[in-house]
Amino acid sequence: MSFAAPNFSLEGRRAFVTGANTGIGQGIALGLASAGAQVICAGRTPAEETVEAIGRMGGKAQIAALDLSDPMAGAAVLAEHGDLDILVNNAGIIRRADSLDFTEGDWDDVMDVNLKAVFFTAQAFAKHALARGAHASIINIASLLSFQGGIRVPSYTASKHGVAGLTKILANEWALRGINVNAIAPGYIATNNTVALRADENRNRDILARIPAGAWGKPEDIAGAAVFLASPAARYVHGCVLNVDGGWLAR
Ligand code: NAP
């Protein structure tokens, strides 16, 4: 019998993480660095705290300025950073209003950052990886609202359903060419994105009552899934949307 032990190491690999200054992106950047990757922390707010924390861990990281309100901006910034092995499309925004009142601006802003930028950043990353003939991994950050409707967040829900679909089509096209494309669907994670929900006593109570694990998740809870999906151990995992949600979707 032959058995190759699963390899979760990211030693020698270079990762590009969008929205790495805070929240889930920061947790993922720290997680990838802890597994040995060098991390380019990209975003519109400089990710100094993240880069310093990685340095304290003995890892390597740097900042890249990237504003994805221009959804085509990722391609140019990726090109400045040479050979990359891992892309994490994490940056995302949310706008809340009743669907009857929802504006075109709130529709377009969210779709640009959460969906259009995800596709064109992945496209640019894949062109480089395919030109090098190197194995590469793309991890998109989806949501519970890739599966459920939510309420008062129509563009967010549409964008995150789109992220799940894009993850599958890109996996179909690129799996045979050495690129693993997968997504993580975080449940309710305590970050800036969820401040309003946690501050609303009734919503907070209702949310907690429905989570089998009984607590909000933390950014580091998403990091382990990202390390796995970026690692050689996930070589046969393609087009998967991995729920990390304290059991929410199982309920
Ligand atoms: P967060 O703390 O608000 O972080 C969002 C990140 O995206 C920040 O780094 C932000 O940068 C960046 N970003 C936003 N607009 C950008 C732009 N135009 N250009 C570049 N970067 C931009 O929220 P989070 O909860 O960590 O969210 C991260 C991802 O997880 C998002 O895709 C979100 O939809 C998803 N998610 C979150 C939850 C949750 O419960 N928290 C659940 C499911 C999915 P700035 O700091 O400069 O704004």
Side-chain angles (χ1 to χ4, degrees), residues 18-28 42-46 65-70 89-94 109 112-114 118 140-145 156 159-160 163 184-195 197-198 216-217 219 222 244:
T18 68
N21 60 305
T22 186
I24 290 171
Q26 183 174 55
I28 289 174
R44 61 181 174 184
T45 303
L66 174 63
D67 186 345
L68 292 167
S69 56
D70 170 3
N89 275 313
N90 163 76
I93 57 173
I94 194 163
D109 290 352
D112 278 354
V113 175
N114 291 14
V118 166
N140 298 322
I141 301 305
S143 168
L144 296 176
L145 299 190
Y156 186 83
S159 72
K160 293 297 186 179
V163 167
I184 298 170
Y188 284 88
I189 311 297
T191 67
N192 298 337
N193 183 301
T194 52
V195 168
L197 283 182
R198 283 178 286 126
W216 284 76
I222 309 304
V244 183

Side-chain angles (χ1 to χ4, degrees), residues 117-213:
V118 166
F119 176 72
F120 284 103
T121 308
Q123 182 194 62
F125 173 86
K127 283 182 181 172
H128 288 288
L130 293 174
R132 287 165 58 213
H135 176 264
S137 305
I138 297 175
I139 301 167
N140 298 322
I141 301 305
S143 168
L144 296 176
L145 299 190
S146 298
F147 306 100
Q148 301 180 305
I151 188 164
R152 304 184 74 246
V153 286
S155 58
Y156 186 83
T157 299
S159 72
K160 293 297 186 179
H161 271 64
V163 167
L166 268 187
T167 299
K168 293 170 195 168
I169 182 186
L170 297 181
N172 292 340
E173 292 195 25
W174 297 340
L176 197 57
R177 305 185 69 184
I179 304 180
N180 288 74
V181 187
N182 291 291
I184 298 170
Y188 284 88
I189 311 297
T191 67
N192 298 337
N193 183 301
T194 52
V195 168
L197 283 182
R198 283 178 286 126
D200 180 332
E201 211 175 296
N202 294 333
R203 285 300 305 278
N204 191 41
R205 189 193 52 234
D206 292 350
I207 287 166
L208 283 175
R210 214 212 111 133
I211 301 174

